[in-house]
Amino acid sequence: MQNKACVRAHTNIALIKYWGKRDETYFLPMNSSLSLTLDKLYTDTMVSFEEDLAGDVFYLNDELQGEKETQKISAFLDLFRKEKKTTAFARVESHNHVPTAAGLASSASAFAALAGAANRALQLHLDPQTLSTFARRGSGSATRSIYGGFVEWDMGTTSDDSFAIEVDDASWDIGMVIVAVNKKAKEVSSREGMKRTVETSPFYPAWTQAAKKDIVSIKEAIAKKDFIRLGEITEANGMKMHGTMLGAEPPFSYWEPDSIRAINIVKQLRKEGIPCYVTMDAGPNVKVLCRLSQAETIKTALLSCFSADKLIITGPGAGIRELTATERSE
Ligand code: ADP
Ligand code: DP6
Ligand code: CO
């Protein structure tokens, strides 16, 4: 029996954000969210269950990981071991084609890839929706990375119905320009940041109320392929999320001077008639939602302030898929 599989999962950027859990054990969110899966940023993860291992072994970008990181993936793999009724430990080798822990959603592609690989390696045959609930238990944003295009994670009512579904394949000239202002790992993880916000920010109830309206409006905009409306809702939703953090105690912010420089360039481009809109996550990096056909023009404008190595143009990405042996060795 082949107990090994390698799966690729793409990262996704939320247009309507997930920011806060109503249940920390099961990763149940306070609100539904909606994202765009990205083609250029992804994680490849190989999982091999081996009877003779004394514990899980985890390599990230060819470096053996210590106890803390290994413990995280062990707890996650336990969910799959329980499902399969096996006690076999695993060797995990993961490569991030995205900066780790920098606000570019490495945890989303990471846990979607790990879930997909564990599902295949143990031949569990979990359907995508169920697999999405498993990915959720590793990192909330991973729930959405099982699928490509525009994806909605429905907050659900229980652990079994809090999963994602594909809303639209985003093949109507949709793209993103990523301004990687700072690729270093952040000081406040997404997990810690959202927890502090939920527990201490008086703005939090207003955020959940707004997010619940925004998800309805953005799905209408997607159904009509109304790009301007899509962008306006995206930008406003991201700003509201960042506003909640300023109300937290102690307050915090992921913004850096370069984040504002990027935002100002986007505003100027809009004045010049190019529809493009910003969103930011738990990090200083700015993502510009745009027409893919106008991404080069937007990149050129950003080059006035940022070097080319900080700018990534990407189109919509696909859902998870198993890699062939040749792709694996590349
Ligand atoms: P990001 O903005 O990159 O998603 P988070 O703080 O949400 O940042 O998550 C980063 C964490 O995700 C890392 O500290 C690590 O624990 C985990 N992670 C990132 N990449 C991988 C990977 N390829 N395999 C397993 N875990 C990963
Ligand atoms: C701002 O999914 O990284 O990117 O569930 O604790 O692992 P955990 O957090 P994570 O949070 C993502 C927060 C966000 C918004 C989003 O992706 O929806
Ligand atoms: Co994350």
Side-chain angles (χ1 to χ4, degrees):
M1 192 169 92
Q2 169 75 286
N3 295 326
K4 181 176 163 180
C6 185
V7 165
R8 174 170 298 176
H10 294 262
T11 60
N12 70 79
I13 296 300
L15 310 184
I16 304 300
K17 307 291 185 189
Y18 144 61
W19 191 245
K21 298 176 180 70
R22 65 181 196 275
D23 183 313
E24 285 175 16
T25 309
Y26 290 95
F27 288 70
L28 297 176
M30 287 285 200
N31 61 275
S32 300
S33 52
L34 187 141
S35 58
L36 177 67
T37 300
L38 303 182
D39 184 42
K40 289 282 161 58
L41 303 177
Y42 56 89
T43 297
D44 289 343
T45 299
M46 189 285 297
V47 179
S48 159
F49 287 90
E50 297 169 18
E51 291 296 343
D52 53 355
L53 284 173
D56 293 321
V57 184
F58 174 33
Y59 286 85
L60 175 55
N61 298 336
D62 299 321
E63 268 182 42
L64 182 63
Q65 300 294 294
E67 208 181 309
K68 194 172 152 233
E69 287 302 320
T70 308
Q71 176 48 37
K72 271 198 212 170
I73 62 126
S74 288
F76 184 70
L77 290 174
D78 284 345
L79 304 171
F80 293 84
R81 281 189 275 253
K82 195 174 160 212
E83 190 74 16
K84 186 69 184 180
K85 299 185 176 61
T86 174
T87 51
F89 289 113
R91 174 182 303 278
V92 176
E93 291 171 17
S94 187
H95 289 97
N96 278 345
H97 297 265
V98 49
T100 304
L104 289 167
S106 69
S107 68
S109 50
F111 285 97
L114 189 55
N119 183 33
R120 288 284 186 140
L122 291 174
Q123 285 138 38
L124 283 167
H125 308 293
L126 300 174
D127 61 80
Q129 270 180 13
T130 310
L131 194 56
S132 158
T133 66
F134 273 73
R136 193 193 74 225
R137 306 280 298 275
S139 179
S141 51
T143 315
R144 301 180 307 238
S145 267
I146 300 293
Y147 303 94
F150 288 118
V151 179
E152 180 186 9
W153 170 17
D154 190 297
M155 64 185 286
T157 56
T158 63
S159 183
D160 293 341
D161 67 2
S162 184
F163 50 70
I165 49 159
E166 186 183 315
V167 167
D168 180 290
D169 65 6
S171 63
W172 37 285
D173 198 13
I174 299 290
M176 224 174 230
V177 182
I178 293 169
V179 191
V181 162
N182 187 340
K183 295 180 192 166
K184 282 205 248 32
K186 53 192 146 192
E187 278 168 29
V188 184
S189 69
S190 307
R191 196 156 302 176
E192 217 181 305
M194 66 175 82
K195 184 172 160 62
R196 191 191 301 173
T197 307
V198 173
E199 288 172 357
T200 66
S201 178
F203 305 156
Y204 195 74
W207 153 258
T208 47
Q209 272 178 27
K212 281 172 192 178
K213 285 185 190 152
D214 289 347
I215 191 114
V216 175
S217 314
I218 206 163
K219 282 195 285 182
E220 283 167 11
I222 291 170
K224 288 185 198 148
K225 297 193 171 32
D226 182 344
F227 180 73
I228 305 233
R229 193 72 198 114
L230 175 75
E232 286 170 352
I233 299 165
T234 296
E235 188 165 294
N237 184 270
M239 293 295 163
K240 282 179 257 189
M241 177 188 78
H242 285 274
T244 64
M245 301 172 207
L246 297 180
E249 287 182 31
F252 64 106
S253 169
Y254 292 106
W255 294 33
E256 288 183 11
D258 272 348
S259 315
I260 297 173
R261 285 189 186 101
I263 292 171
N264 285 340
I265 292 172
V266 168
K267 282 188 188 156
Q268 182 56 36
L269 281 163
R270 275 210 297 265
K271 276 191 195 146
E272 290 164 16
I274 295 168
C276 51
Y277 301 87
V278 296
T279 188
M280 288 173 66
D281 292 281
N285 305 314
V286 175
K287 294 99 183 186
V288 186
L289 180 68
C290 63
R291 292 294 194 184
L292 189 54
S293 58
Q294 291 182 318
E296 281 295 344
T297 310
I298 293 163
K299 181 176 170 180
T300 305
L302 287 161
L303 277 169
S304 64
C305 222
F306 300 95
S307 52
D309 60 311
K310 289 186 170 163
L311 303 172
I312 306 162
I313 292 181
T314 175
I320 57 167
R321 72 177 173 93
E322 191 166 6
L323 297 183
T324 62
T326 18
E327 283 177 305
R328 249 184 255 170
S329 54
E330 270 166 10

